[in-house]
Amino acid sequence: MDEELLEKKTKEIEENSPEPTDNSDGSKILKIIENGGVFLFHDELGTGYARVPIGKKYKTMRIDSKDFKMWLSRIFYDRIKKPLRHDLRSTIMETLEAKACNEGSVVLLHNRVTWHENALWYDLGDGSSVCVTQEGWQILNETPVLFRSYNHQKLQVHPIINGHAADLFKLINVTNKDKQLLLLVWLVSCFLPDFPHPILYVHGPQGSAKSTLCKTIKELVDPSQLDVTSFPNNENELVQMLSHNWFLCFDNVKYIPKGAPDTLCRAVTGASFAKRSLYTNDDDFICRFKRCIVINGINLGIREPDLMERSILLELDRISENGQRKEERELNIQFEGLKSSILGGIFDCLVKAIQLKITFKLTQPLPRMADFATWGCVISEALGYKHENFLKAYKDNQEIQNDEVLNESTLAVVIRNFMSDKTNWSGTPTQMLGELKELAAGFDGMKIDINHDRSWPKNASNLTKRLNELKTNLENIGIKLWSDKENKKRIIRIEKVNDEIIGGDTRDAGDDDLSGSEAIQF
């Protein structure tokens, strides 16, 4: 629909709607809405929506939202020439919601980005969208897809063609070339939906501008009044926050509450979440999503191997006091001047990446998070790098992740020391736990207080769960574990396939428990 026709439809609401035969105010406004270009529909969860013309653009609103109430009150006053009573407004909204849910089409709504007919669509929040194809990108007011709208969302600036994505590094404290490449590739990938994106975990000492980095990339991908937020302790609150943001930043995280790592893993790889819609009824509220997530903190709050494997670690150095530090006001002004160019450079890169993705074939085995790795290769090529540069930086980062997991686990530290003078070992879980306890009592002249270390397995069954969590990480450093049965007894077998195994440091007693539920499966 072109702008002239859209403007005409808008005027029909305010001026040109035919008078209904029923002269009640409610009937009049319903007739005006019906003939005024308003599209009523419901989403896949049965929630009623209206797509309404505002000026030369459209906006999608939940019928039970504050925004729709305000729009309805304005239209009523403009057309009926008197204020809309609360009881009449409720009746009109209930009628429209019933029409949307019972007579309207089912429409899939999207949050900020989506694919449609081989084109990438990015919501600018003002009713217009960026359409990206292999031929180029453009801003369109009329789109074939509908986006969700939340009150916290801010309008995105309009990007400019021939921008410079690398101008980002004029604003943030990342100077290492490998880290810059990994961060920029990850950032561009956040404009691409429908595959798992690793969590970006930014850590470093006070004064390393972690929050500034997170706020900057949040504004580029998914601008919001809620630029960064603290990590919620309640799982329902976490799911609610994730469902209402395409891109979410958790600031100054000291630890991740028990149960949350599993929710984050599912939010990365894509899962459905259910909760009661209201405490007064039994209706379920179901939401399904894949999200882009950033966490920052002085220290790493991740100890779970599964979550660590779905992450990219970005360590920042403290900014020196020799004049490199800038005031927040100065940074904000600089960012506002560069934002359209950085965003335009990202869309320029996406055009090239979509072109390359059609024919790109990776000859070497893919790492974990394979979809991200594949897109990362073509994005790095689109940025002017070789994809081998990206893969090396990503592999180096995964090795850092592996070391973090092993050094944070008392059990892993003890196993590495246990195998330091052995090529292989076999025995029952009970025998293994006994020998590990004996070693933990005082290796390298240090005593580990396993009675107060919540990550230490308390029994043989718990040992198999902990080993299952660490199995991949230990294999990455040359310690292979497997299990079989001998005389109806479970036997754990360990083989050292790498002689360069080094015992790690122990953790302080009392560290948080590693979640685990599966026994070793062989």
Side-chain angles (χ1 to χ4, degrees):
M1 183 182 298
D2 59 27
E3 292 185 3
E4 183 177 349
L5 181 57
L6 180 56
E7 188 172 5
K8 181 180 177 181
K9 286 288 186 182
T10 305
K11 288 181 179 178
E12 286 179 358
I13 293 180
E14 301 175 347
E15 301 173 358
N16 301 324
S17 297
E19 291 293 333
T21 55
D22 184 347
N23 289 321
S24 70
D25 291 343
S27 296
K28 286 181 182 179
I29 199 68
L30 287 172
K31 196 69 174 179
I32 289 170
I33 290 173
E34 179 181 342
N35 295 327
V38 176
F39 174 49
L40 299 175
F41 66 96
H42 60 277
D43 66 8
E44 69 278 14
L45 304 177
T47 303
Y49 284 83
R51 187 181 188 227
V52 303
I54 298 178
K56 296 182 179 181
K57 298 174 182 177
Y58 282 105
K59 186 172 183 180
T60 300
M61 307 176 188
R62 274 181 62 140
I63 295 175
D64 62 357
S65 69
K66 180 180 178 181
D67 283 349
F68 188 77
K69 289 178 183 178
M70 299 297 290
W71 177 85
L72 183 61
S73 296
R74 183 185 68 82
I75 292 298
F76 188 90
Y77 186 82
D78 288 347
R79 188 68 177 92
I80 309 298
K81 303 304 180 185
K82 56 184 173 181
L84 177 59
R85 302 190 319 271
H86 174 76
D87 59 333
L88 180 57
R89 184 177 65 185
S90 297
T91 300
I92 294 170
M93 290 176 66
E94 288 174 3
T95 302
L96 292 173
E97 187 160 22
K99 284 179 170 289
C101 293
N102 293 289
E103 301 173 13
S105 305
V106 180
V107 177
L108 181 63
L109 290 172
H110 307 280
N111 195 331
R112 192 61 80 173
V113 292
T114 189
W115 287 104
H116 179 73
E117 295 181 351
N118 298 319
L120 177 67
W121 295 86
Y122 176 84
D123 179 25
L124 293 172
D126 61 355
S128 61
S129 299
V130 179
C131 176
V132 188
T133 68
Q134 58 180 313
E135 283 80 31
W137 64 267
Q138 59 182 321
I139 298 174
L140 299 175
N141 290 335
E142 176 67 12
T143 68
V145 294
L146 299 183
F147 292 96
R148 295 185 184 275
S149 176
Y150 297 106
N151 287 334
H152 70 85
Q153 290 176 324
K154 290 165 55 177
L155 303 184
Q156 181 61 283
V157 301
H158 282 213
I160 60 174
I161 294 177
N162 298 324
H164 301 281
D167 282 348
L168 170 68
F169 300 109
K170 296 178 180 179
L171 304 165
I172 62 175
N173 179 33
V174 180
T175 56
N176 177 274
K177 296 302 181 183
D178 285 345
K179 291 180 180 179
Q180 286 185 347
L181 174 59
L182 199 56
L183 175 60
L184 196 53
V185 166
W186 179 86
L187 175 62
V188 174
S189 79
C190 291
F191 290 76
L192 294 162
D194 301 336
F195 67 88
H197 297 75
I199 293 173
L200 179 67
Y201 206 118
V202 184
H203 63 107
Q206 298 97 325
S208 55
K210 301 180 294 294
S211 296
T212 298
L213 184 151
C214 292
K215 291 177 182 178
T216 301
I217 59 180
K218 168 70 173 176
E219 280 291 306
L220 286 169
V221 180
D222 188 19
S224 168
Q225 302 295 340
L226 187 70
D227 48 11
V228 295
T229 182
S230 57
F231 202 97
N233 290 316
N234 181 280
E235 184 177 5
N236 281 341
E237 185 180 352
L238 175 59
V239 171
Q240 180 87 346
M241 293 170 71
L242 289 166
S243 67
H244 286 196
N245 293 265
W246 163 246
F247 185 105
L248 197 58
C249 296
F250 297 107
D251 188 45
N252 196 25
V253 175
K254 294 179 174 61
Y255 71 96
I256 296 178
K258 188 175 181 179
D262 179 60
T263 302
L264 291 173
C265 285
R266 295 169 65 202
V268 166
T269 54
S272 295
F273 298 86
K275 65 175 183 177
R276 291 270 294 280
S277 58
L278 294 170
Y279 288 106
T280 55
N281 61 37
D282 291 327
D283 292 341
D284 286 332
F285 175 77
I286 310 293
C287 48
R288 171 178 294 189
F289 47 74
K290 291 185 179 79
R291 290 294 181 258
C292 299
I293 301 168
V294 183
I295 303 173
N296 80 63
I298 293 175
N299 299 307
L300 286 173
I302 298 178
R303 294 194 179 112
E304 292 74 8
D306 210 26
L307 184 58
M308 184 71 82
E309 204 170 26
R310 291 174 168 87
S311 302
I312 288 176
L313 306 183
L314 181 62
E315 185 174 8
L316 303 184
D317 298 322
R318 181 177 174 85
I319 299 175
S320 64
E321 304 296 335
N322 62 358
Q324 296 179 9
R325 193 178 299 279
K326 297 180 181 179
E327 293 182 356
E328 184 173 355
R329 178 177 175 277
E330 181 184 355
L331 275 174
N332 289 339
I333 293 173
Q334 187 178 9
F335 181 40
E336 289 305 313
L338 292 172
K339 189 175 181 182
S340 292
S341 174
I342 295 172
L343 199 58
I346 289 172
F347 287 119
D348 292 341
C349 175
L350 285 167
V351 171
K352 296 177 184 177
I354 293 171
Q355 294 171 354
L356 293 169
K357 184 68 164 53
I358 297 172
T359 57
F360 180 79
K361 298 292 183 183
L362 190 63
T363 55
Q364 62 191 87
L366 285 167
R368 184 74 187 268
M369 306 293 286
D371 295 277
F372 168 74
T374 302
W375 271 111
C377 287
V378 296
I379 291 171
S380 61
E381 296 271 356
L383 288 168
Y385 296 87
K386 294 181 179 179
H387 71 267
E388 290 86 357
N389 299 135
F390 161 74
L391 287 174
K392 180 183 181 302
Y394 190 36
K395 180 180 178 182
D396 290 346
N397 199 269
Q398 290 180 319
E399 289 177 357
I400 294 172
Q401 297 168 23
N402 199 70
D403 289 342
E404 289 287 346
V405 169
L406 295 176
N407 290 331
E408 283 292 315
S409 168
T410 301
L411 179 60
V413 171
V414 175
I415 288 174
R416 293 165 77 176
N417 280 270
F418 178 66
M419 293 301 296
S420 61
D421 59 352
K422 302 178 183 66
T423 303
N424 53 69
W425 182 92
S426 64
T428 66
T430 301
Q431 289 172 333
M432 183 177 185
L433 183 59
E435 293 197 33
L436 294 178
K437 280 184 178 179
E438 183 178 348
L439 179 60
F443 71 84
D444 290 341
M446 296 182 293
K447 184 175 180 179
I448 301 174
D449 188 2
I450 60 176
N451 294 322
H452 293 89
D453 188 332
R454 290 193 293 172
S455 72
W456 184 264
K458 301 301 184 286
N459 52 51
S461 176
N462 194 236
L463 173 65
T464 62
K465 296 177 183 178
R466 293 287 184 260
L467 291 176
N468 192 51
E469 293 172 356
L470 295 168
K471 180 174 180 289
T472 300
N473 302 96
L474 289 169
E475 286 185 356
N476 287 338
I477 62 164
I479 298 178
K480 184 178 179 182
L481 296 94
W482 71 98
S483 175
D484 56 26
K485 285 192 175 182
E486 187 176 291
N487 296 325
K488 298 184 178 181
K489 291 183 178 180
R490 176 171 287 255
I491 301 296
I492 296 176
R493 303 189 187 278
I494 312 177
E495 181 182 359
K496 185 168 66 177
V497 295
N498 183 352
D499 290 330
E500 298 180 0
I501 297 174
I502 302 173
D505 297 328
T506 62
R507 295 185 297 152
D508 293 333
D511 281 338
D512 287 339
D513 192 12
L514 294 173
S515 62
S517 58
E518 297 292 328
I520 299 180
Q521 304 294 327
F522 301 100

